[in-house]
Each structure stands twice: as C-alpha cells, then as structure tokens.
PDB file of all heavy atoms in Angstrom:
ATOM      1  N   GLN A1137     118.635  85.891  90.902  1.00 83.00           N
ATOM      2  CA  GLN A1137     118.412  87.208  91.482  1.00 83.00           C
ATOM      3  C   GLN A1137     119.605  87.617  92.307  1.00 83.00           C
ATOM      4  O   GLN A1137     120.138  86.836  93.094  1.00 83.00           O
ATOM      5  CB  GLN A1137     117.149  87.222  92.349  1.00 83.00           C
ATOM      6  CG  GLN A1137     116.853  88.598  92.920  1.00 83.00           C
ATOM      7  CD  GLN A1137     115.386  88.807  93.226  1.00 83.00           C
ATOM      8  OE1 GLN A1137     114.521  88.121  92.711  1.00 83.00           O
ATOM      9  NE2 GLN A1137     115.099  89.761  94.071  1.00 83.00           N
ATOM     10  N   ILE A1138     120.032  88.875  92.142  1.00 83.00           N
ATOM     11  CA  ILE A1138     121.121  89.420  92.931  1.00 83.00           C
ATOM     12  C   ILE A1138     120.667  90.752  93.527  1.00 83.00           C
ATOM     13  O   ILE A1138     119.687  91.344  93.080  1.00 83.00           O
ATOM     14  CB  ILE A1138     122.409  89.622  92.099  1.00 83.00           C
ATOM     15  CG1 ILE A1138     122.177  90.692  91.026  1.00 83.00           C
ATOM     16  CG2 ILE A1138     122.889  88.320  91.504  1.00 83.00           C
ATOM     17  CD1 ILE A1138     123.440  91.180  90.372  1.00 83.00           C
ATOM     18  N   GLY A1139     121.376  91.216  94.535  1.00 88.00           N
ATOM     19  CA  GLY A1139     121.079  92.510  95.116  1.00 88.00           C
ATOM     20  C   GLY A1139     120.549  92.387  96.528  1.00 88.00           C
ATOM     21  O   GLY A1139     120.184  91.318  97.006  1.00 88.00           O
ATOM     22  N   ILE A1140     120.507  93.517  97.229  1.00 91.00           N
ATOM     23  CA  ILE A1140     120.097  93.506  98.632  1.00 91.00           C
ATOM     24  C   ILE A1140     118.583  93.494  98.786  1.00 91.00           C
ATOM     25  O   ILE A1140     118.085  93.147  99.860  1.00 91.00           O
ATOM     26  CB  ILE A1140     120.690  94.716  99.388  1.00 91.00           C
ATOM     27  CG1 ILE A1140     120.321  96.036  98.708  1.00 91.00           C
ATOM     28  CG2 ILE A1140     122.198  94.588  99.497  1.00 91.00           C
ATOM     29  CD1 ILE A1140     120.793  97.271  99.457  1.00 91.00           C
ATOM     30  N   TYR A1141     117.839  93.849  97.736  1.00 92.00           N
ATOM     31  CA  TYR A1141     116.383  93.890  97.839  1.00 92.00           C
ATOM     32  C   TYR A1141     115.743  92.945  96.841  1.00 92.00           C
ATOM     33  O   TYR A1141     116.327  92.587  95.811  1.00 92.00           O
ATOM     34  CB  TYR A1141     115.865  95.313  97.585  1.00 92.00           C
ATOM     35  CG  TYR A1141     116.316  96.354  98.579  1.00 92.00           C
ATOM     36  CD1 TYR A1141     116.583  97.665  98.182  1.00 92.00           C
ATOM     37  CD2 TYR A1141     116.486  96.037  99.925  1.00 92.00           C
ATOM     38  CE1 TYR A1141     116.992  98.640  99.091  1.00 92.00           C
ATOM     39  CE2 TYR A1141     116.903  96.998 100.840  1.00 92.00           C
ATOM     40  CZ  TYR A1141     117.161  98.297 100.413  1.00 92.00           C
ATOM     41  OH  TYR A1141     117.565  99.239 101.321  1.00 92.00           O
ATOM     42  N   ASN A1142     114.522  92.542  97.153  1.00 91.00           N
ATOM     43  CA  ASN A1142     113.689  91.733  96.263  1.00 91.00           C
ATOM     44  C   ASN A1142     112.247  92.117  96.538  1.00 91.00           C
ATOM     45  O   ASN A1142     111.969  92.891  97.450  1.00 91.00           O
ATOM     46  CB  ASN A1142     113.965  90.234  96.486  1.00 91.00           C
ATOM     47  CG  ASN A1142     113.698  89.814  97.911  1.00 91.00           C
ATOM     48  OD1 ASN A1142     112.570  89.872  98.399  1.00 91.00           O
ATOM     49  ND2 ASN A1142     114.747  89.378  98.625  1.00 91.00           N
ATOM     50  N   PRO A1143     111.267  91.613  95.782  1.00 91.00           N
ATOM     51  CA  PRO A1143     109.875  92.030  96.012  1.00 91.00           C
ATOM     52  C   PRO A1143     109.380  91.780  97.437  1.00 91.00           C
ATOM     53  O   PRO A1143     108.485  92.483  97.909  1.00 91.00           O
ATOM     54  CB  PRO A1143     109.095  91.194  94.994  1.00 91.00           C
ATOM     55  CG  PRO A1143     110.061  90.975  93.885  1.00 91.00           C
ATOM     56  CD  PRO A1143     111.402  90.804  94.552  1.00 91.00           C
ATOM     57  N   GLY A1144     109.967  90.810  98.133  1.00 89.00           N
ATOM     58  CA  GLY A1144     109.533  90.523  99.497  1.00 89.00           C
ATOM     59  C   GLY A1144     110.289  91.279 100.569  1.00 89.00           C
ATOM     60  O   GLY A1144     109.923  91.193 101.748  1.00 89.00           O
ATOM     61  N   TYR A1145     111.319  92.041 100.181  1.00 90.00           N
ATOM     62  CA  TYR A1145     112.106  92.767 101.179  1.00 90.00           C
ATOM     63  C   TYR A1145     112.700  94.012 100.555  1.00 90.00           C
ATOM     64  O   TYR A1145     113.606  93.937  99.718  1.00 90.00           O
ATOM     65  CB  TYR A1145     113.219  91.891 101.756  1.00 90.00           C
ATOM     66  CG  TYR A1145     113.969  92.571 102.888  1.00 90.00           C
ATOM     67  CD1 TYR A1145     113.521  92.483 104.188  1.00 90.00           C
ATOM     68  CD2 TYR A1145     115.109  93.333 102.620  1.00 90.00           C
ATOM     69  CE1 TYR A1145     114.183  93.124 105.224  1.00 90.00           C
ATOM     70  CE2 TYR A1145     115.785  93.978 103.640  1.00 90.00           C
ATOM     71  CZ  TYR A1145     115.309  93.871 104.942  1.00 90.00           C
ATOM     72  OH  TYR A1145     115.960  94.532 105.959  1.00 90.00           O
ATOM     73  N   VAL A1146     112.189  95.176 100.946  1.00 91.00           N
ATOM     74  CA  VAL A1146     112.710  96.467 100.501  1.00 91.00           C
ATOM     75  C   VAL A1146     112.728  97.394 101.710  1.00 91.00           C
ATOM     76  O   VAL A1146     111.680  97.733 102.262  1.00 91.00           O
ATOM     77  CB  VAL A1146     111.821  97.086  99.387  1.00 91.00           C
ATOM     78  CG1 VAL A1146     112.483  98.372  98.884  1.00 91.00           C
ATOM     79  CG2 VAL A1146     111.613  96.113  98.252  1.00 91.00           C
ATOM     80  N   ARG A1147     113.923  97.793 102.129  1.00 90.00           N
ATOM     81  CA  ARG A1147     114.070  98.689 103.276  1.00 90.00           C
ATOM     82  C   ARG A1147     113.333  98.156 104.518  1.00 90.00           C
ATOM     83  O   ARG A1147     112.806  98.905 105.313  1.00 90.00           O
ATOM     84  CB  ARG A1147     113.590 100.098 102.925  1.00 90.00           C
ATOM     85  CG  ARG A1147     114.437 100.779 101.846  1.00 90.00           C
ATOM     86  CD  ARG A1147     113.884 102.117 101.409  1.00 90.00           C
ATOM     87  NE  ARG A1147     114.837 102.819 100.549  1.00 90.00           N
ATOM     88  CZ  ARG A1147     114.602 103.968  99.944  1.00 90.00           C
ATOM     89  NH1 ARG A1147     113.437 104.568 100.114  1.00 90.00           N
ATOM     90  NH2 ARG A1147     115.523 104.530  99.184  1.00 90.00           N
ATOM     91  N   GLY A1148     113.315  96.829 104.638  1.00 89.00           N
ATOM     92  CA  GLY A1148     112.694  96.194 105.788  1.00 89.00           C
ATOM     93  C   GLY A1148     111.233  95.868 105.626  1.00 89.00           C
ATOM     94  O   GLY A1148     110.621  95.277 106.527  1.00 89.00           O
ATOM     95  N   PHE A1149     110.631  96.206 104.476  1.00 89.00           N
ATOM     96  CA  PHE A1149     109.221  95.928 104.212  1.00 89.00           C
ATOM     97  C   PHE A1149     109.085  95.093 102.944  1.00 89.00           C
ATOM     98  O   PHE A1149     110.066  94.810 102.264  1.00 89.00           O
ATOM     99  CB  PHE A1149     108.435  97.233 104.068  1.00 89.00           C
ATOM    100  CG  PHE A1149     108.427  98.095 105.293  1.00 89.00           C
ATOM    101  CD1 PHE A1149     109.185  99.274 105.341  1.00 89.00           C
ATOM    102  CD2 PHE A1149     107.676  97.746 106.396  1.00 89.00           C
ATOM    103  CE1 PHE A1149     109.185 100.081 106.473  1.00 89.00           C
ATOM    104  CE2 PHE A1149     107.675  98.546 107.541  1.00 89.00           C
ATOM    105  CZ  PHE A1149     108.429  99.710 107.580  1.00 89.00           C
ATOM    106  N   SER A1150     107.856  94.713 102.628  1.00 89.00           N
ATOM    107  CA  SER A1150     107.593  93.920 101.441  1.00 89.00           C
ATOM    108  C   SER A1150     106.840  94.763 100.418  1.00 89.00           C
ATOM    109  O   SER A1150     105.708  95.183 100.649  1.00 89.00           O
ATOM    110  CB  SER A1150     106.753  92.677 101.796  1.00 89.00           C
ATOM    111  OG  SER A1150     106.307  92.024 100.617  1.00 89.00           O
ATOM    112  N   ALA A1151     107.474  95.022  99.274  1.00 90.00           N
ATOM    113  CA  ALA A1151     106.790  95.719  98.187  1.00 90.00           C
ATOM    114  C   ALA A1151     105.645  94.891  97.633  1.00 90.00           C
ATOM    115  O   ALA A1151     104.633  95.423  97.191  1.00 90.00           O
ATOM    116  CB  ALA A1151     107.796  96.047  97.075  1.00 90.00           C
ATOM    117  N   GLN A1152     105.813  93.577  97.681  1.00 89.00           N
ATOM    118  CA  GLN A1152     104.755  92.688  97.181  1.00 89.00           C
ATOM    119  C   GLN A1152     103.524  92.762  98.064  1.00 89.00           C
ATOM    120  O   GLN A1152     102.394  92.904  97.569  1.00 89.00           O
ATOM    121  CB  GLN A1152     105.290  91.252  97.113  1.00 89.00           C
ATOM    122  CG  GLN A1152     104.322  90.255  96.523  1.00 89.00           C
ATOM    123  CD  GLN A1152     105.003  88.926  96.307  1.00 89.00           C
ATOM    124  OE1 GLN A1152     106.044  88.854  95.657  1.00 89.00           O
ATOM    125  NE2 GLN A1152     104.430  87.872  96.835  1.00 89.00           N
ATOM    126  N   GLU A1153     103.700  92.676  99.388  1.00 87.00           N
ATOM    127  CA  GLU A1153     102.562  92.779 100.294  1.00 87.00           C
ATOM    128  C   GLU A1153     101.913  94.156 100.200  1.00 87.00           C
ATOM    129  O   GLU A1153     100.695  94.290 100.335  1.00 87.00           O
ATOM    130  CB  GLU A1153     103.009  92.524 101.738  1.00 87.00           C
ATOM    131  CG  GLU A1153     103.303  91.076 102.060  1.00 87.00           C
ATOM    132  CD  GLU A1153     103.690  90.884 103.522  1.00 87.00           C
ATOM    133  OE1 GLU A1153     103.984  91.893 104.192  1.00 87.00           O
ATOM    134  OE2 GLU A1153     103.685  89.737 103.990  1.00 87.00           O
ATOM    135  N   ALA A1154     102.727  95.200  99.975  1.00 88.00           N
ATOM    136  CA  ALA A1154     102.198  96.555  99.914  1.00 88.00           C
ATOM    137  C   ALA A1154     101.420  96.833  98.640  1.00 88.00           C
ATOM    138  O   ALA A1154     100.738  97.850  98.544  1.00 88.00           O
ATOM    139  CB  ALA A1154     103.343  97.562 100.048  1.00 88.00           C
ATOM    140  N   GLY A1155     101.539  95.939  97.654  1.00 89.00           N
ATOM    141  CA  GLY A1155     100.835  96.135  96.391  1.00 89.00           C
ATOM    142  C   GLY A1155     101.586  97.019  95.411  1.00 89.00           C
ATOM    143  O   GLY A1155     100.983  97.555  94.478  1.00 89.00           O
ATOM    144  N   ASN A1156     102.917  97.125  95.580  1.00 92.00           N
ATOM    145  CA  ASN A1156     103.707  98.016  94.724  1.00 92.00           C
ATOM    146  C   ASN A1156     104.383  97.244  93.589  1.00 92.00           C
ATOM    147  O   ASN A1156     105.597  97.290  93.407  1.00 92.00           O
ATOM    148  CB  ASN A1156     104.756  98.752  95.552  1.00 92.00           C
ATOM    149  CG  ASN A1156     104.125  99.647  96.586  1.00 92.00           C
ATOM    150  OD1 ASN A1156     102.987 100.096  96.430  1.00 92.00           O
ATOM    151  ND2 ASN A1156     104.843  99.911  97.675  1.00 92.00           N
ATOM    152  N   ILE A1157     103.565  96.517  92.847  1.00 94.00           N
ATOM    153  CA  ILE A1157     104.059  95.733  91.720  1.00 94.00           C
ATOM    154  C   ILE A1157     103.683  96.456  90.427  1.00 94.00           C
ATOM    155  O   ILE A1157     102.577  96.968  90.281  1.00 94.00           O
ATOM    156  CB  ILE A1157     103.451  94.312  91.715  1.00 94.00           C
ATOM    157  CG1 ILE A1157     103.739  93.618  93.054  1.00 94.00           C
ATOM    158  CG2 ILE A1157     104.008  93.501  90.556  1.00 94.00           C
ATOM    159  CD1 ILE A1157     105.200  93.424  93.382  1.00 94.00           C
ATOM    160  N   ARG A1158     104.624  96.505  89.501  1.00 95.00           N
ATOM    161  CA  ARG A1158     104.371  97.071  88.190  1.00 95.00           C
ATOM    162  C   ARG A1158     104.754  96.048  87.125  1.00 95.00           C
ATOM    163  O   ARG A1158     105.705  95.290  87.291  1.00 95.00           O
ATOM    164  CB  ARG A1158     105.192  98.352  87.971  1.00 95.00           C
ATOM    165  CG  ARG A1158     104.942  99.435  89.010  1.00 95.00           C
ATOM    166  CD  ARG A1158     103.553 100.019  88.922  1.00 95.00           C
ATOM    167  NE  ARG A1158     103.373 101.116  89.869  1.00 95.00           N
ATOM    168  CZ  ARG A1158     102.865 100.965  91.104  1.00 95.00           C
ATOM    169  NH1 ARG A1158     102.512  99.758  91.521  1.00 95.00           N
ATOM    170  NH2 ARG A1158     102.726 102.002  91.896  1.00 95.00           N
ATOM    171  N   LEU A1159     104.000  96.048  86.046  1.00 96.00           N
ATOM    172  CA  LEU A1159     104.284  95.173  84.910  1.00 96.00           C
ATOM    173  C   LEU A1159     104.458  96.062  83.682  1.00 96.00           C
ATOM    174  O   LEU A1159     103.523  96.766  83.281  1.00 96.00           O
ATOM    175  CB  LEU A1159     103.143  94.182  84.700  1.00 96.00           C
ATOM    176  CG  LEU A1159     103.347  93.095  83.635  1.00 96.00           C
ATOM    177  CD1 LEU A1159     104.614  92.291  83.917  1.00 96.00           C
ATOM    178  CD2 LEU A1159     102.140  92.167  83.552  1.00 96.00           C
ATOM    179  N   ASP A1160     105.669  96.065  83.134  1.00 95.00           N
ATOM    180  CA  ASP A1160     106.031  97.006  82.073  1.00 95.00           C
ATOM    181  C   ASP A1160     105.708  98.437  82.488  1.00 95.00           C
ATOM    182  O   ASP A1160     105.227  99.253  81.695  1.00 95.00           O
ATOM    183  CB  ASP A1160     105.314  96.648  80.770  1.00 95.00           C
ATOM    184  CG  ASP A1160     106.071  95.610  79.968  1.00 95.00           C
ATOM    185  OD1 ASP A1160     107.066  95.065  80.488  1.00 95.00           O
ATOM    186  OD2 ASP A1160     105.681  95.333  78.818  1.00 95.00           O
ATOM    187  N   GLY A1161     105.945  98.753  83.764  1.00 93.00           N
ATOM    188  CA  GLY A1161     105.765 100.093  84.276  1.00 93.00           C
ATOM    189  C   GLY A1161     104.349 100.459  84.657  1.00 93.00           C
ATOM    190  O   GLY A1161     104.103 101.577  85.123  1.00 93.00           O
ATOM    191  N   LEU A1162     103.384  99.553  84.490  1.00 96.00           N
ATOM    192  CA  LEU A1162     101.980  99.836  84.761  1.00 96.00           C
ATOM    193  C   LEU A1162     101.505  99.069  85.982  1.00 96.00           C
ATOM    194  O   LEU A1162     101.963  97.954  86.270  1.00 96.00           O
ATOM    195  CB  LEU A1162     101.119  99.473  83.555  1.00 96.00           C
ATOM    196  CG  LEU A1162     101.387 100.318  82.293  1.00 96.00           C
ATOM    197  CD1 LEU A1162     100.678  99.714  81.086  1.00 96.00           C
ATOM    198  CD2 LEU A1162     100.970 101.767  82.492  1.00 96.00           C
ATOM    199  N   TYR A1163     100.548  99.643  86.687  1.00 96.00           N
ATOM    200  CA  TYR A1163     100.047  99.078  87.941  1.00 96.00           C
ATOM    201  C   TYR A1163      99.301  97.765  87.696  1.00 96.00           C
ATOM    202  O   TYR A1163      98.452  97.656  86.816  1.00 96.00           O
ATOM    203  CB  TYR A1163      99.110 100.071  88.616  1.00 96.00           C
ATOM    204  CG  TYR A1163      98.350  99.490  89.795  1.00 96.00           C
ATOM    205  CD1 TYR A1163      98.991  99.253  90.999  1.00 96.00           C
ATOM    206  CD2 TYR A1163      96.999  99.158  89.687  1.00 96.00           C
ATOM    207  CE1 TYR A1163      98.307  98.717  92.081  1.00 96.00           C
ATOM    208  CE2 TYR A1163      96.301  98.620  90.757  1.00 96.00           C
ATOM    209  CZ  TYR A1163      96.957  98.403  91.949  1.00 96.00           C
ATOM    210  OH  TYR A1163      96.282  97.858  93.007  1.00 96.00           O
ATOM    211  N   ILE A1164      99.623  96.753  88.513  1.00 97.00           N
ATOM    212  CA  ILE A1164      98.890  95.493  88.534  1.00 97.00           C
ATOM    213  C   ILE A1164      98.691  95.081  89.980  1.00 97.00           C
ATOM    214  O   ILE A1164      99.620  95.178  90.796  1.00 97.00           O
ATOM    215  CB  ILE A1164      99.624  94.380  87.733  1.00 97.00           C
ATOM    216  CG1 ILE A1164      98.861  93.043  87.851  1.00 97.00           C
ATOM    217  CG2 ILE A1164     101.073  94.224  88.192  1.00 97.00           C
ATOM    218  CD1 ILE A1164      99.449  91.937  86.991  1.00 97.00           C
ATOM    219  N   ASP A1165      97.501  94.650  90.316  1.00 96.00           N
ATOM    220  CA  ASP A1165      97.202  94.134  91.650  1.00 96.00           C
ATOM    221  C   ASP A1165      97.489  92.630  91.622  1.00 96.00           C
ATOM    222  O   ASP A1165      96.605  91.807  91.399  1.00 96.00           O
ATOM    223  CB  ASP A1165      95.738  94.412  92.012  1.00 96.00           C
ATOM    224  CG  ASP A1165      95.392  93.984  93.422  1.00 96.00           C
ATOM    225  OD1 ASP A1165      96.303  93.920  94.264  1.00 96.00           O
ATOM    226  OD2 ASP A1165      94.205  93.700  93.679  1.00 96.00           O
ATOM    227  N   GLN A1166      98.733  92.276  91.862  1.00 96.00           N
ATOM    228  CA  GLN A1166      99.194  90.896  91.687  1.00 96.00           C
ATOM    229  C   GLN A1166      98.690  90.007  92.813  1.00 96.00           C
ATOM    230  O   GLN A1166      98.953  90.246  93.986  1.00 96.00           O
ATOM    231  CB  GLN A1166     100.725  90.842  91.635  1.00 96.00           C
ATOM    232  CG  GLN A1166     101.270  89.444  91.393  1.00 96.00           C
ATOM    233  CD  GLN A1166     102.754  89.328  91.704  1.00 96.00           C
ATOM    234  OE1 GLN A1166     103.326  90.205  92.326  1.00 96.00           O
ATOM    235  NE2 GLN A1166     103.366  88.243  91.281  1.00 96.00           N
ATOM    236  N   GLN A1167      97.964  88.969  92.463  1.00 95.00           N
ATOM    237  CA  GLN A1167      97.528  87.949  93.402  1.00 95.00           C
ATOM    238  C   GLN A1167      98.243  86.626  93.164  1.00 95.00           C
ATOM    239  O   GLN A1167      98.342  85.792  94.063  1.00 95.00           O
ATOM    240  CB  GLN A1167      96.016  87.731  93.281  1.00 95.00           C
ATOM    241  CG  GLN A1167      95.188  88.980  93.436  1.00 95.00           C
ATOM    242  CD  GLN A1167      95.380  89.631  94.792  1.00 95.00           C
ATOM    243  OE1 GLN A1167      95.230  88.981  95.826  1.00 95.00           O
ATOM    244  NE2 GLN A1167      95.712  90.918  94.796  1.00 95.00           N
ATOM    245  N   ALA A1168      98.697  86.425  91.943  1.00 92.00           N
ATOM    246  CA  ALA A1168      99.271  85.144  91.536  1.00 92.00           C
ATOM    247  C   ALA A1168     100.733  85.295  91.179  1.00 92.00           C
ATOM    248  O   ALA A1168     101.170  86.330  90.660  1.00 92.00           O
ATOM    249  CB  ALA A1168      98.508  84.586  90.328  1.00 92.00           C
ATOM    250  N   THR A1169     101.498  84.281  91.447  1.00 92.00           N
ATOM    251  CA  THR A1169     102.916  84.244  91.116  1.00 92.00           C
ATOM    252  C   THR A1169     103.131  84.371  89.616  1.00 92.00           C
ATOM    253  O   THR A1169     102.429  83.755  88.814  1.00 92.00           O
ATOM    254  CB  THR A1169     103.502  82.910  91.594  1.00 92.00           C
ATOM    255  OG1 THR A1169     103.333  82.810  92.999  1.00 92.00           O
ATOM    256  CG2 THR A1169     104.973  82.796  91.257  1.00 92.00           C
ATOM    257  N   PHE A1170     104.102  85.180  89.228  1.00 94.00           N
ATOM    258  CA  PHE A1170     104.497  85.244  87.825  1.00 94.00           C
ATOM    259  C   PHE A1170     105.379  84.039  87.479  1.00 94.00           C
ATOM    260  O   PHE A1170     106.093  83.516  88.333  1.00 94.00           O
ATOM    261  CB  PHE A1170     105.291  86.516  87.546  1.00 94.00           C
ATOM    262  CG  PHE A1170     104.481  87.785  87.603  1.00 94.00           C
ATOM    263  CD1 PHE A1170     104.958  88.881  88.303  1.00 94.00           C
ATOM    264  CD2 PHE A1170     103.258  87.893  86.971  1.00 94.00           C
ATOM    265  CE1 PHE A1170     104.244  90.063  88.365  1.00 94.00           C
ATOM    266  CE2 PHE A1170     102.521  89.065  87.030  1.00 94.00           C
ATOM    267  CZ  PHE A1170     103.010  90.153  87.730  1.00 94.00           C
ATOM    268  N   THR A1171     105.332  83.640  86.234  1.00 94.00           N
ATOM    269  CA  THR A1171     106.224  82.588  85.750  1.00 94.00           C
ATOM    270  C   THR A1171     107.231  83.170  84.770  1.00 94.00           C
ATOM    271  O   THR A1171     106.931  84.138  84.054  1.00 94.00           O
ATOM    272  CB  THR A1171     105.447  81.463  85.059  1.00 94.00           C
ATOM    273  OG1 THR A1171     106.354  80.606  84.356  1.00 94.00           O
ATOM    274  CG2 THR A1171     104.432  82.003  84.050  1.00 94.00           C
ATOM    275  N   ASP A1172     108.433  82.591  84.732  1.00 92.00           N
ATOM    276  CA  ASP A1172     109.459  83.031  83.795  1.00 92.00           C
ATOM    277  C   ASP A1172     109.059  82.784  82.350  1.00 92.00           C
ATOM    278  O   ASP A1172     109.698  83.313  81.438  1.00 92.00           O
ATOM    279  CB  ASP A1172     110.776  82.317  84.080  1.00 92.00           C
ATOM    280  CG  ASP A1172     111.496  82.909  85.271  1.00 92.00           C
ATOM    281  OD1 ASP A1172     111.322  84.106  85.535  1.00 92.00           O
ATOM    282  OD2 ASP A1172     112.243  82.172  85.955  1.00 92.00           O
ATOM    283  N   ARG A1173     108.013  82.002  82.122  1.00 93.00           N
ATOM    284  CA  ARG A1173     107.527  81.842  80.759  1.00 93.00           C
ATOM    285  C   ARG A1173     107.002  83.171  80.209  1.00 93.00           C
ATOM    286  O   ARG A1173     107.012  83.399  79.006  1.00 93.00           O
ATOM    287  CB  ARG A1173     106.380  80.822  80.707  1.00 93.00           C
ATOM    288  CG  ARG A1173     106.655  79.453  81.342  1.00 93.00           C
ATOM    289  CD  ARG A1173     107.546  78.580  80.482  1.00 93.00           C
ATOM    290  NE  ARG A1173     108.912  79.039  80.442  1.00 93.00           N
ATOM    291  CZ  ARG A1173     109.762  78.994  81.473  1.00 93.00           C
ATOM    292  NH1 ARG A1173     109.393  78.486  82.631  1.00 93.00           N
ATOM    293  NH2 ARG A1173     110.997  79.433  81.351  1.00 93.00           N
ATOM    294  N   ALA A1174     106.517  84.056  81.095  1.00 94.00           N
ATOM    295  CA  ALA A1174     105.965  85.336  80.659  1.00 94.00           C
ATOM    296  C   ALA A1174     106.818  86.524  81.058  1.00 94.00           C
ATOM    297  O   ALA A1174     106.630  87.621  80.533  1.00 94.00           O
ATOM    298  CB  ALA A1174     104.549  85.517  81.222  1.00 94.00           C
TER     299      ALA A1174
END
C-alpha cells in the first residue's frame, strides 16, 4: 500500500470505522477483514 490515506486514516478520520467501505463500487457493512485471496 502506498499513499497518504488508507481505510483507517482519511483526512484524520477512519473510513473503515465510519462504514464507508465499498466492494466493486457497492455498499457493504464490513465487519470482517478482507483477504487478498478475494
């Protein structure tokens, strides 16, 4: 991973904690860690 932001830190907040996760552009309420297998 490169860049100034990641799911745990965006503009000083966490997109992951906020529930702003998308999978192929669609909303998912992520509770579990994704694996690189998928």
Side-chain angles (χ1 to χ4, degrees):
Q1137 182 154 339
I1138 65 167
I1140 56 176
Y1141 297 144
N1142 59 64
Y1145 185 87
V1146 185
R1147 295 175 171 175
F1149 298 107
S1150 170
Q1152 184 171 306
E1153 286 182 346
N1156 297 334
I1157 304 299
R1158 303 292 184 267
L1159 186 56
D1160 274 8
L1162 295 169
Y1163 170 74
I1164 177 175
D1165 184 25
Q1166 183 195 14
Q1167 305 299 307
T1169 300
F1170 291 133
T1171 168
D1172 282 331
R1173 308 284 71 70

